[in-house]
């Protein structure tokens, strides 16, 4: 019985999924076979549809009166949206299915599985006799590609990108040129030279979609990821120029030197123009976001629309749309994020990830379907030679360029790195769509077949084997990185140090210009584009604030889940504070310094919460340390605390305070002593104005104090008790403070040997 | 000047593994800064206009005059430094070449960290105490407006706590963590990728952009 149940349960999801798939496939096949219009590239408000209704009315009004149809079938009216939705649903269910079957998804990358499904669906459709929709180029370039690129560009890790920009540019520009001319040149003899070069230019570009899809699963280290990915993004300019150049001249037949020169000029225009267009839209978007304080709901839309406009505007002039999109996202991001609400930020993030995920899935499925659908002209030699040439030229290109690049790099690229870069040069749907856009000719089919074969080869063979190869070669993986305040401090410190050294050297180097840019940014740009006082906040402080918020959030979450944070270290603030000379040993004033201490202890315990492994995966909603914080909630908390706590931590914590870091060590106390609250002792060397801080600080826990003390001092149960008492999570942090305060108060009542009146002490009493 | 220059060539090539070109350029710069004197003083460095915006200016200038950076086991600071000492400090930032072995890289890395450590450890007791760390963070934030003081203290405290908890996980409540020792310092900066950047453009750039050392950048 148990065995039977087991087998049933394991096959359960698979069975349901299979049935779902079958149903979907049948419906989509049925819908596809009814009408032979491929794809869904027509506009929605199709006026033709309105006229479809007329025949219905006419047949009803002319002739004799039919009985009123209670239930009728009007499939044609909803055909298009229904088809689109079904395809998308199919894609998503496939994606879902792969993750239910764990074994397969470990071996085969998702992109392969999706292409396979596309092949299957295409095969079924063809078997039934309908015409399968191919990957329409317009659909691809205007609807499917932009979300992926925007997602990549908006979340582009800027620092590694700019640090390796030279290398990336060399690979993108020179590498792609080399590939195109090598392949095109070697193919000469099959067809005329220009067509060959055209083919070479189509097939030579590394595809960002495929790279993302494969690399995200292997969690490779940041440097390699950014190299290959950056290259795939930036080679778009080269591809666009070469493609249009050769397309124009494939018909003309000859290319003169003037044309070549114009081509070079065109390259600069295309790339720089694209970036400029993107930057302009980015600034516009940032500026708009400054005024959205009262209409928070539409903030994400601005980001999406401005970026899409950037893409389309660039495409109007045949500039590089991809580079424009990337530039827009990169420029917009720092300012927009400072202006928009946290919910909008989350929305943007989720939507981008969602859209790009759907797009990618659809692209791969359609690739599979078009393979089955499209007309093929299979030529063994052509195809095989193409595949081999692609590999060879990629390897040669990478090796040659690395040799040159390493002369200028500090962190040289090792042989392993080179291998991964060469192996990661995947081709994908962009090449296919560009081929699709060629004018019809015999060669088009030939080219398309070859392109599809290369894509399949790279995605299947290289995609599947790259993971075991990475493991075999022991390539460095992405390591988990905690947000460390020390690293942040020292990164900034080093920035300034190197800038200073450069200035002393008299050399205007990398750091000098970066520093200048930062200062310009702060002085002028931020003031225009960021609303409010956020524009002047130094980076270190905002980093620190974010970290505190994150830790508070994690504490709240782990508290509400009634789980103890793993306390790794029992170090607390008092271990660090200096003892100070006996003369200055002071008695802490209970209200202020204690809270200061508590705050530090809280921080100590907060820092021990579990660190989760962060590996680079585009489709995981990144476990961003600063995510999912209700900003309002925590800002309020912080403001409250800051009002209460004076940062005058020059108060020497007296040594005999037995404040435990782990609350379990607190002796169970049942007494409440309130008198101590009124005995305030101050330090003789206090400098900052404490009166104001004191006066404005209401002691918040008095009403709760009594009830808190009735429970056991165990932290988890206290939190549990707090929870059961129905305290909103909003106050979850504050009660923790209060309970700590009370604990300390009590422990001090017990262990405090009493006030020691120093001669220099001036007692100021708080009422 | 010519005699001392050739001597320095030898010294440089033997000990600093800096190329002759680089030394020549640095010497030119040295002469510019010192006003053709034999030594430069703190005022000479403070007069560089570009440094005025740097928040840690004093510490950088101090590092040049710090005897500890001369690797001769002396302590204290100079009043003026000659070209040799100038070069010695600059050599901390020399870039590794393809020929540098793994252990040489390790030594260089340690040197750089030591340089950083010395910048923080102003009283030269071998540890960075909380006070010193606070000062460092304050300096870092000094150009950023009025927010500095309190936030700097909080940040420095949090950072110190992090170091302590990473390196000495189990401290009883009575224990006292004196300060960050050099080993702990190395430990916490292990993940810092930036430090591999120490030693890039300054010296290499000097080689590549020799002509840039004209009066306009002074």
């Amino acid at each position: 019985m148990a065995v039977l149940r087991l087998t049933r349960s394991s096959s359960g999801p698979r069975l349901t999924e299979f049935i779902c798939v079958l149903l979907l496939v049948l419906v989509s096949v049925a819908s596809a076979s009814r009408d032979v219009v491929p794809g869904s590239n027509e506009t929605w408000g199709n006026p033709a549809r309105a006229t479809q209704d007329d025949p219905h009315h006419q047949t009803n009004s002319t002739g004799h009166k039919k009985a009123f149809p209670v239930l009728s079938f009007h499939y044609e009216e909803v055909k298009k949206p229904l088809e689109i939705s079904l395809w998308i649903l199919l894609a998503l269910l496939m994606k879902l299915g792969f993750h239910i079957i764990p074994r397969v998804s470990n071996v085969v990358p998702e992109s392969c599985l999706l292409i396979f499904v596309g092949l299957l669906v295409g095969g079924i459709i063809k078997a039934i006799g309908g015409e399968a929709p191919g990957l329409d180029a317009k659909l691809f370039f205007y609807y499917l590609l932009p979300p992926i690129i925007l997602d990549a560009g908006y979340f582009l890790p800027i620092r590694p990108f700019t640090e390796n920009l030279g290398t990336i540019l060399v690979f993108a520009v020179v590498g792609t040129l080399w590939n195109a001319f090598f392949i095109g040149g070697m193919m000469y003899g099959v067809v005329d030279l220009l067509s060959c070069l055209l083919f070479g230019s189509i097939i030579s570009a590394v595809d960002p979609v495929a790279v993302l899809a494969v690399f995200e699963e292997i969690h490779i280290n940041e440097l390699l990821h950014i190299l290959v990915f950056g290259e795939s993004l930036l080679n778009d300019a080269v591809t666009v120029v070469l493609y249009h150049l050769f397309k124009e001249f494939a018909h003309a037949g000859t290319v003169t030197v003037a044309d070549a020169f114009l081509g070079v000029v065109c390259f600069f225009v295309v790339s720089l123009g694209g970036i400029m267009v993107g930057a302009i839209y980015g600034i516009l978007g940032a500026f708009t976001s400054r005024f959205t304080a009262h209409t928070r709901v539409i903030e994400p839309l601005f980001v999406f629309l401005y970026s899409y406009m950037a893409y389309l505007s660039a495409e109007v002039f045949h500039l590089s749309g991809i580079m424009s999109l990337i530039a827009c996202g990169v420029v917009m991001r720092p300012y927009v994020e400072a202006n928009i609400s946290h919910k909008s930020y989350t929305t943007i993030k989720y939507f981008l990830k969602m859209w790009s995920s759907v797009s990618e899935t659809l692209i791969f499925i359609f690739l599979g379907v078009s393979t089955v659908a499209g007309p093929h002209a299979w030529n063994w030699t052509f195809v095989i030679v193409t595949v081999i040439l692609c590999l060879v030229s990629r390897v040669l290109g990478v090796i040659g360029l690395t040799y040159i690049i390493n002369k200028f790099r500090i962190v040289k690229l090792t042989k392993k790195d080179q291998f991964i870069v060469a192996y990661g040069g995947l081709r994908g749907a962009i090449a296919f769509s560009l081929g699709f856009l060629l004018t019809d000719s015999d060669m088009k089919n030939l080219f398309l077949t070859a392109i599809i074969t290369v894509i399949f080869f790279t995605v299947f063979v290289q995609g599947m084997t790259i993971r075991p190869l990475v493991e075999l070669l022991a390539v460095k993986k992405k390591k988990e990185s905690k947000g460390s305040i020390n690293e942040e401090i020292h990164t900034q410190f080093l920035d300034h140090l190197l800038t200073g050294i450069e200035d002393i050297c008299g050399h205007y180097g990398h750091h000098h210009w970066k520093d200048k840019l930062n200062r310009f940014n702060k002085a002028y740009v931020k003031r225009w584009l960021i609303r409010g006082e956020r524009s002047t906040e130094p980076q270190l402080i905002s980093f620190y604030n974010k970290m505190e918020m994150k830790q508070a959030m994690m504490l709240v979450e782990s508290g509400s889940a009634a789980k103890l944070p793993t306390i790794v270290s029992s170090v607390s603030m008092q271990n660090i504070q200096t003892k100070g000379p006996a003369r200055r040993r002071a008695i802490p004033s209970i209200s202020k310094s204690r809270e200061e201490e508590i705050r530090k202890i809280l921080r100590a315990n907060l820092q021990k919460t579990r660190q989760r492994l962060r590996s680079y995966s585009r489709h995981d909603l990144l476990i961003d340390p600063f995510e999912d914080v209700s900003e309002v909630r925590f800002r309020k908390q912080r403001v409250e605390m800051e009002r209460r706590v004076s940062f005058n931590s020059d108060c020497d914590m007296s040594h005999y305070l037995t404040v435990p870091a782990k609350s379990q060590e607190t002796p169970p106390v049942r007494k409440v002593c309130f008198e101590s609250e009124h005995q305030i002792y101050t330090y003789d060397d206090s400098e900052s104005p404490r009166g104001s801080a004191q006066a404005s600080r209401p002691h918040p826990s008095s009403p709760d104090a009594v009830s808190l003390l009735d429970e056991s001092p165990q932290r988890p149960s206290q939190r549990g008790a707090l929870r059961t008492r129905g305290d909103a999570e909003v106050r979850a942090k504050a009660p923790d403070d209060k309970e700590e305060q009370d604990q300390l108060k009590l422990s001090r009542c017990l262990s405090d040997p009493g006030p020691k009146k120093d001669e220099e002490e001036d007692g100021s009493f708080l009422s | 000047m010519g005699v001392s220059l050739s001597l320095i060539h030898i010294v440089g090539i033997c000990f600093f593994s800096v190329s002759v070109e680089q030394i020549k350029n640095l010497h030119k710069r040295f002469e510019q800064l010192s006003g053709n004197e034999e030594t430069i003083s703190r005022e000479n460095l403070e007069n560089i206009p570009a440094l005025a915006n740097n928040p840690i200016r004093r510490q950088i200038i101090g590092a040049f005059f710090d005897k500890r950076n001369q690797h001769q086991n002396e302590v204290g600071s100079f009043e003026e430094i000659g070209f040799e000492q100038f070069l010695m400090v600059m050599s901390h930032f020399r870039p590794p070449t393809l020929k540098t072995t793994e252990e040489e890289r390790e030594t260089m890395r340690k040197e750089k960290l030591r340089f950083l450590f010395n910048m923080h450890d102003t009283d030269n007791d071998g540890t960075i105490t909380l006070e010193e760390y606070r000062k460092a963070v304050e300096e870092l934030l000094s150009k950023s407006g009025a927010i500095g003081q309190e936030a700097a203290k909080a940040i420095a405290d949090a950072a110190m706590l992090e170091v302590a908890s990473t390196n000495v996980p189990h401290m009883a409540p009575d224990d006292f963590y004196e300060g960050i020792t050099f080993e702990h310092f190395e430990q916490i900066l292990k993940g810092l990728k930036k430090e591999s950047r120490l030693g890039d453009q300054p010296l290499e750039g000097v080689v590549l952009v020799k002509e840039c050392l004209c009066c306009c950048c002074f």
Side-chain angles (χ1 to χ4, degrees), chain A residues 643-696:
Chain A
R643 265 191 302 119
R644 283 190 266 133
V645 180
S646 112
F647 281 99
N648 175 24
S649 46
D650 254 342
C651 48
D652 298 335
M653 294 299 172
S654 113
H655 183 54
Y656 55 77
L657 288 173
T658 53
V659 177
K662 294 190 189 175
S663 52
Q664 284 92 339
E665 293 165 23
T666 325
V669 219
R670 295 284 179 262
K671 252 179 36 159
V672 180
C673 33
F674 280 119
E675 314 90 63
S676 40
E677 208 180 18
H678 299 292
Q679 291 167 335
I680 309 298
Y681 308 97
T682 61
Y683 297 102
D684 41 350
D685 55 350
S686 65
E687 58 240 37
S688 77
R690 297 158 58 186
S692 55
Q694 299 275 18
S696 63

Side-chain angles (χ1 to χ4, degrees), chain B residues 6 8 16 28 36 41 50 87 91 97 108 111 135 138 141 171 178 184 187 199 214:
Chain B
S6 57
I8 285 162
F16 304 147
K28 260 198 240 160
N36 283 325
S41 63
L87 201 57
S91 74
T97 64
M108 285 168 71
E111 264 180 35
K135 252 183 131 283
E138 257 177 57
L141 290 174
M171 287 181 81
E178 280 91 21
H184 294 174
Q187 185 71 17
C214 56

Side-chain angles (χ1 to χ4, degrees), chain A residues 546-566:
Chain A
K546 279 184 186 162
M547 273 202 76
E548 286 216 302
M549 277 201 201
K550 166 220 175 184
Q551 289 169 341
M553 182 268 297
M554 285 184 93
L555 177 68
V556 166
E557 278 192 355
S558 59
S560 62
K563 265 191 245 174
L564 256 187
T566 53

